Amino acid sequence: MDGKRRPVVAVVGGSRCTPEEAELAGEVGRLLAEVGAAVVCGGYGGVMEAVARGAREKGGLVVGLLSGATVEDANPYLSLALPTGMGEMRNALIVRAAESVIAIGGGFGTLSEIALALRLGRPVIGLRTWEFRDPSGGPDPVRRVDTAAEAVRLALQFGPRA
């Protein structure tokens, strides 16, 4: 790094995921680490564990914002596990901490993170995740991509905030 603040990208997804989603998340983590971006996630299993493992394989920085009050259930690939004791409310912290959000698969927790990110004006890049239809006829607010490389390239277009 050249002294500049590294980009921070949130990666959100289910605590359980398909093998394909895990592979995508791992590749996203590796690619983010290769360019020096920090990853923030929920810190547990599924997509969160896969992205953390991928990033750590390449020496990346991964921060897990845990819903519970202890680190006992955190995945072992986190660089830093921060217990918030906030339950699902910690989802707002995850998306607020990042310049952009990559959503991979996921359930209702992921849906809440996508909604919060959009509400906060954070760009959301979607890989096999929730699809939205604007009742007024507008476009889906999630930027859809098909590959991990596309997701990372797009997420990094939204660099560190001053």
Side-chain angles (χ1 to χ4, degrees), residues 43-58:
Y44 294 110
V47 164
M48 299 168 278
E49 184 170 344
V51 73
R53 181 174 50 243
R56 296 291 290 189
E57 285 173 2
K58 295 293 184 175

Side-chain angles (χ1 to χ4, degrees), residues 7-161:
V8 178
V9 177
V11 179
V12 300
S15 58
R16 288 185 297 275
C17 64
T18 67
E20 294 81 17
E21 291 166 344
E23 180 54 39
L24 280 171
E27 188 176 351
V28 163
R30 288 187 291 277
L31 292 169
L32 288 170
E34 285 175 356
V35 297
V39 174
V40 63
C41 68
Y44 294 110
V47 164
M48 299 168 278
E49 184 170 344
V51 73
R53 181 174 50 243
R56 296 291 290 189
E57 285 173 2
K58 295 293 184 175
L61 173 66
V62 185
V63 176
L65 296 177
L66 307 172
S67 58
T70 69
V71 298
E72 290 174 6
D73 296 324
N75 79 63
Y77 303 102
L78 300 173
S79 306
L80 181 61
L82 298 173
T84 67
M86 296 178 69
E88 296 298 320
M89 292 185 299
R90 68 77 153 86
N91 292 354
L93 299 175
I94 292 168
V95 299
R96 184 169 286 284
E99 285 85 40
S100 59
V101 177
I102 298 174
I104 303 170
F108 291 123
T110 305
L111 177 60
S112 75
E113 289 163 319
I114 292 169
L116 289 164
L118 293 171
R119 183 80 177 163
L120 291 169
R122 302 296 191 269
V124 178
I125 298 92
L127 274 168
R128 301 181 191 175
T129 194
W130 290 86
E131 293 187 26
F132 302 91
R133 187 182 57 162
D134 184 334
S136 66
D140 183 340
V142 174
R143 295 161 169 91
R144 305 268 161 212
V145 296
D146 295 318
T147 68
E150 290 174 292
V152 169
R153 181 189 55 75
L154 191 53
L156 293 174
Q157 290 181 358
F158 307 96
R161 292 182 308 276

